[in-house]
Amino acid sequence: MCVAISDHEVGIDTQKIGDVSDEVVRRFIKKQPGGAVENTYFWTDYEAVGKYFGVGIPHSLELSSNMQILRFQCQNYCISVCLSKGEECLPPERIISIKDQSTIY
């Protein structure tokens, strides 16, 4: 579970590394599958973009020129944050785990 707090539009997603299969990457993201980490980032990028636009799972992963995706790896999880270019995100050391109330990075 992830939570993003911002004064601007933002989309965020997290996924455990290895939970995204090659078939999911081919079917939903229309990309050539990579390794476990790359597949997981493909999925978290995809979900973060959908959340940014408020559409859930988007039909395609396309960023406009005024958007960016920031990626962080915390332990065995990938985190993708979609936000407008020029906006900033807290550094990974400020990301906390809600589950156990501790810093995970």
Side-chain angles (χ1 to χ4, degrees), residues 1 4 8 14 17 26 30 33 42 44 47 49 51 55 58 62 65 81 84 87 91-92 97:
M1 174 186 286
H8 308 281
T14 186
I17 294 170
R26 276 192 219 82
K30 312 289 191 245
F42 284 156
T44 57
E47 288 262 342
V49 169
K51 291 172 182 176
V55 296
E62 293 186 26
S65 60
V81 181
S84 298
E87 297 297 330
S97 168

Side-chain angles (χ1 to χ4, degrees), residues 3 8 12 14 26-27 37-38 42-43 47 53 71 75 82 91:
V3 176
H8 308 281
I12 188 169
T14 186
R26 276 192 219 82
R27 181 174 176 203
V37 173
E38 188 173 0
F42 284 156
W43 185 257
E47 288 262 342
F53 287 112
R71 291 174 163 181
Q75 295 176 4
C82 180

Side-chain angles (χ1 to χ4, degrees), residues 17-59:
I17 294 170
D19 282 356
V20 181
S21 70
D22 288 352
E23 179 57 32
V24 166
V25 171
R26 276 192 219 82
R27 181 174 176 203
F28 290 97
I29 305 168
K30 312 289 191 245
K31 287 189 177 262
Q32 191 63 25
V37 173
E38 188 173 0
N39 283 355
T40 306
Y41 274 127
F42 284 156
W43 185 257
T44 57
D45 291 352
Y46 183 71
E47 288 262 342
V49 169
K51 291 172 182 176
Y52 177 91
F53 287 112
V55 296
I57 297 177
H59 292 290

